[in-house]
Amino acid sequence: MYKNIEKQTKLTLADQVAYQQGQVVSKTLVQNDAVSMTLFSFDKGEEISTHAAAGDAMVTVLDGKGRFTVGGDVFYLEKGETLIMPKDIPHAVYGEEQFKMVLVVSY
């Protein structure tokens, strides 16, 4: 099930994806019909434009600060904070500063 990550090893998720200047970087850890799990790093000012997911999407910020717009509501999340973005509700993500997050979508 898991890929692109060591198994049976103590890890820090934030260390598993690097910042790259001017980019959003993603690293898929799980992808199947029931769930997807992806790590992201955002450079300051980078974004994922408005879109909707086919399942509930839970994000947890691992480092830095991001802005999440969900159905017109704006949330600022910092390290350790979590937000669930409901299925089929348009949302967008913006790097207020460099930040990393883990995204888990359940279908």
Side-chain angles (χ1 to χ4, degrees):
M1 295 297 244
Y2 283 91
K3 60 183 180 179
N4 302 320
I5 195 166
E6 290 185 55
K7 297 178 184 175
Q8 202 168 340
T9 301
K10 182 179 173 180
L11 301 168
T12 301
L13 284 181
D15 294 343
Q16 302 305 304
V17 62
Y19 289 116
Q20 292 188 24
Q21 186 175 4
Q23 294 187 38
V24 175
V25 178
S26 66
K27 182 176 184 179
T28 301
L29 303 181
V30 176
Q31 184 73 51
N32 60 46
D33 292 340
V35 66
S36 70
M37 180 184 291
T38 308
L39 297 173
F40 287 90
S41 69
F42 287 72
D43 196 15
K44 181 178 180 177
E46 294 301 313
E47 66 184 319
I48 295 175
S49 60
T50 303
H51 64 285
D56 288 338
M58 182 178 79
V59 294
T60 300
V61 173
L62 304 172
D63 185 45
K65 183 178 182 179
R67 181 178 76 215
F68 299 80
T69 304
V70 183
D73 296 323
V74 176
F75 303 88
Y76 294 90
L77 274 69
E78 297 183 15
K79 182 177 178 179
E81 295 180 323
T82 298
L83 176 68
I84 297 177
M85 300 178 288
K87 172 184 177 181
D88 298 327
I89 301 296
H91 58 271
V93 184
Y94 178 81
E96 286 293 313
E97 58 186 49
Q98 281 190 326
F99 88 102
K100 296 180 182 181
M101 70 179 200
V102 59
L103 168 69
V104 179
V105 182
S106 57
Y107 303 101

